[in-house]
Structures are given as C-alpha cells and as structure tokens.
C-alpha cells in the first residue's frame, strides 16, 4: 500500500513540475472590454464553479467510499436493483442546475441578437460597419460615412513569414497580428457589424469583444458591440479559409469620440483626394513606386515578391506572355478575375489608382519588358 501511495505522490509531483515548466499558459477566459464579453465571462465562471462543486461532491463520495468501504475492512457490497428516491433526486437536481444556468444564458443570447436598453426598447445603433472577408484580407465599409478600405497583413510581417526569409520573427512585435489599415471605431458607441464574404467562408473574431461571426458568401450576419475602453484589440479569422488562413489578422483601434471624429475627417479628405487622382496623369516613376507598395500588399502573397508565383494555382508574372501582352487584357483580368481559378476580381476591392499602379509595376518589373504605363482613368473607363 505504501508503494502505491509513493507512486501516486511521484506522479502528482511530476505533473506539477511539468506544468510549472510551461512559460505561457492561460488560466481563464478574457474579461474583454464590452458589456457582452463581461456577461460571457460571468456565465463561464458560474458554470465552472457549478462543475467544480459537482466534481468535488461526486468524486469525493467515490473516493471516500472506495477507501472506507473496501473489502479488506470486511465490507460487503449491497445487493439492490434501484432506488426510486435516488432516481428522483438525481433527476430533479440536474434539472434545477440546468435552469439556473439557462436563464442568464438565454438573457445574454437575446441581448446579443436583439439588444435592448433599460426600458426594454430596441437599442439604437449609432454606426454601421460592413465587414467583407476575402482571401486573405478584410474590407471595411463605413455605411453612413461612405468610407471603405482594405486591411491586410502588415508588409514586414508578410515578408518575415515567407520561406527563406532571414528575418528573426522574435524581433517583431505582435508577429502575424499586425495590419496595414486597422479598423477604427469610437468608444461608448453602439456599433452594428454586417458580415459577409466574397469567396469562401471566413469568421471575424476579436476575443476582447466576446463574440465571433461567420462571414458567408451571399449571406449577411449581424452583430454589435460597444467598446468602453480606448485601446488596440487584436483578433484573427477563426475559419479555415485556405492556405493563408493564418495570415488574416484583425486589428481594431478604439479611439475617444474626439479622436475618432478627427480620424474620420482625415479619411474623408483622403478619399476625396483619391477621387481627384483618378483624373490625374501619373508619371511612370510615380506609378512604379505606388505599384510596388500595392503589389507587395495585395498580390505578393500569391504571386510572390519576386513574381515567380506558385504554379499551377498562382502563375508566375516574371516573363509571362500575358503580362507582356496587351494591357487591356491584364486590366480586364484584374478587374473581373478569372472564374474557376484562384484569381479573384479586384474591381470592387482596390481603387482605380491602385490597380493602374500595380499593373504598371508588374509590366515593368521581374524582367518584363512591356514598357508601357496604365493610367487610373483607363482603368476607370474599363470598369464602367
């Protein structure tokens, strides 16, 4: 008996030692920064304590019974088929426990799907943001303000994660969780999210908000939030959406209402400027400089920074007869995509200026010798 006890103690000691050797581990859910995330945390804690109490009572009774009523002490097993009283008790008690859990859980679900204020009236939403998932980026449309932009993995992170990169990822802060254009929202504001996708199923998930929603092609999911604390909150696509699923981060920056108003004014000014630039005649040098930025952010993931591609899914652009052919054919392909292939349509994703610059860059890089330039006005005319 002593040997068995020694072995048991050694096992427990080993398990404790191994757990202490882990550098980082999570002990609980995040409390989050929204009312809903706090509610979810409270429900989780309530359920956890109920499970702990049940576990202690059940396993405690089993352990006491095993050690105090063992055969070596002369005990004999009772012979009986059933007990009506016991059956009633172990039926009623679980029902009561389930009701105790179900009532607050149901209230939380209703508040998530149909938010109401203290008076019971449906809560007014102050801002609506449409979230569209693409392989492998997010597009955000501010419905009331007419602002939209793409959010993709930060360029430095994208380069570092490429095969053959000599960058030490340990030196990069928030590795693979940084984007070029974060979603910006105001605090203390009821925000409605409309979520959909353009190609495959994605899932928009920011843990600190306390929920995630699938973004499904041809369907619109709805969610809402109200962030109370300014800060930066990170998440990821939570649906296996393709080869670069792990490189589709989400960054949300919550600003004070004053800072958000300033950011909004700047965005409107930039988009108004962008509309004017479409009619501007760009030089080749300007298009090449901007095109390199656009290509690395939007095209390099599939076609590679060197233009070598990953045939057959992603053909090489370097030395491509198609890229060195008529510019109108390449513009049409970028605008409308190619059905049945991984080439998606960028006509509703990128601006005319970005598309013109990216095409100009590919036609004059990677050893390509087309030598021409594509103006944003040309792209706009073909887009119409």
């Amino acid at each position: 008996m002593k040997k068995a006890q020694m072995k048991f103690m050694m096992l427990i000691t080993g398990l404790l030692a191994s757990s202490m050797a882990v550098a980082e581990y999570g002990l609980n859910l995040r409390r989050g920064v929204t009312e809903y995330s706090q509610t979810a945390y409270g429900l989780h804690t309530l359920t956890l304590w109920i499970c702990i109490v049940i576990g202690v009572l059940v396993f405690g009774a089993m352990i006491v019974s095993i050690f105090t009523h063992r055969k070596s002490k002369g005990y004999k097993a009772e012979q009986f088929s059933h007990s009506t009283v016991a059956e009633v008790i172990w039926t009623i008690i679980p029902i009561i426990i389930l009701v105790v859990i179900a009532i607050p859980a149901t209230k939380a679900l209703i508040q998530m799907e149909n938010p109401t204020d203290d008076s019971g009236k449906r809560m007014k939403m102050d801002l609506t943001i449409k979230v569209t998932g693409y392989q492998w980026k997010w597009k955000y449309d501010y419905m009331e303000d007419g602002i939209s932009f793409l959010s993709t993995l930060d360029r430095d992170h994208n380069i570092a994660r490429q095969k053959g990169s000599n960058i030490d990822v340990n030196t990069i802060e928030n590795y693979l969780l940084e984007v070029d254009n974060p979603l910006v929202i105001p605090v203390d504001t009821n925000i409605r999210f409309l979520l959909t996708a353009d190609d495959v199923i994605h899932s928009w998930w920011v843990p600190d908000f306390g929920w995630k929603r699938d973004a499904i092609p041809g369907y619109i999911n709805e969610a809402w939030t109200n962030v109370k604390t300014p800060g930066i909150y990170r998440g990821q696509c939570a649906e296996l959406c393709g080869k670069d699923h792990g490189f589709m981060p989400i960054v949300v920056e919550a600003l004070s209402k004053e800072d958000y108003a300033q950011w909004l004014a700047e965005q409107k000014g930039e988009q108004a400027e962008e509309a004017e630039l479409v009619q501007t005649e760009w030089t080749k040098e300007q298009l090449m400089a901007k095109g390199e930025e656009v290509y690395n952010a939007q095209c390099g993931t599939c076609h590679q920074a060197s233009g070598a591609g990953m045939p057959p899914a992603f053909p090489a652009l370097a030395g491509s007869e198609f890229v060195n052919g008529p510019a109108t054919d390449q513009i049409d392909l970028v605008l409308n995509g190619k059905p049945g292939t991984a080439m998606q349509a960028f006509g509703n994703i990128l601006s005319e200026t970005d598309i013109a610059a990216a095409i100009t860059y590919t036609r004059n890089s990677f050893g390509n010798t087309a030598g021409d330039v594509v103006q944003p006005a040309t792209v706009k005319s073909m887009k119409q």
Side-chain angles (χ1 to χ4, degrees), residues 109-304:
L109 288 174
I110 292 174
Q111 186 66 7
M112 184 69 238
E113 300 298 333
N114 185 30
T116 56
D117 56 24
D118 295 336
S119 64
K121 295 182 180 179
R122 183 170 175 81
M123 195 177 294
K124 180 181 178 297
M125 294 293 142
D126 305 307
L127 177 63
T128 301
I129 299 176
K130 179 184 176 185
V131 180
T132 307
Y134 297 89
Q135 290 180 310
W136 288 270
K137 55 185 74 70
W138 299 100
K139 184 181 181 184
Y140 300 116
D141 294 286
Y142 292 69
M143 306 303 289
E144 291 89 355
D145 299 301
I147 293 173
S148 64
F149 56 84
L150 282 176
S151 180
T152 59
L153 180 66
D154 181 81
R155 180 185 178 185
D156 292 339
H157 294 237
N158 193 37
I159 294 174
R161 63 100 178 173
Q162 298 288 340
K163 183 178 179 181
S165 171
N166 58 2
I167 300 175
D168 182 5
V169 298
N170 294 316
T171 63
I172 300 179
E173 188 177 2
N174 299 312
Y175 179 57
L176 298 183
L177 290 175
E178 194 64 79
V179 298
D180 51 2
N181 297 308
L183 173 67
V184 179
I185 60 174
V187 297
D188 294 322
T189 303
N190 294 329
I191 303 171
R192 176 190 289 114
F193 290 95
L194 304 176
L195 301 106
T196 187
D198 185 69
D199 36 43
V200 299
I201 298 177
H202 301 277
S203 190
W204 201 83
W205 175 51
V206 177
D208 283 310
F209 290 1
W211 53 264
K212 71 180 181 71
R213 283 291 186 275
D214 285 346
I216 305 171
Y219 185 84
I220 295 180
N221 260 329
E222 184 175 347
W224 75 279
T225 194
N226 188 319
V227 178
K228 302 298 183 182
T229 308
I232 295 177
Y233 307 102
R234 304 179 189 277
Q236 292 174 293
C237 175
E239 184 70 36
L240 187 59
C241 58
K243 76 175 187 67
D244 281 349
H245 157 71
F247 313 117
M248 196 173 171
I250 300 163
V251 178
V252 180
E253 185 176 359
L255 301 177
S256 66
K257 292 188 176 181
E258 295 76 14
D259 290 341
Y260 175 77
Q262 181 179 349
W263 173 87
L264 189 62
E266 292 174 354
Q267 293 299 307
K268 289 182 176 180
E270 290 179 5
Q271 298 215 353
E273 182 181 349
E274 175 68 29
E276 295 179 1
L277 289 175
V278 173
Q279 305 302 326
T280 302
E281 190 78 11
W282 288 58
T283 66
K284 183 177 181 179
E285 290 72 21
Q286 290 173 326
L287 288 168
M288 288 292 289
K290 185 173 181 62
E292 184 178 11
E293 294 179 3
V294 177
Y295 178 86
N296 288 327
Q298 308 300 335
C299 316
T301 298
C302 298
H303 294 290
Q304 303 299 293

Side-chain angles (χ1 to χ4, degrees), residues 39 85 98 176 192 265 288 305 319 330 384:
T39 301
V85 174
L98 289 175
L176 298 183
R192 176 190 289 114
M288 288 292 289
Q330 190 177 0
Q384 295 174 340

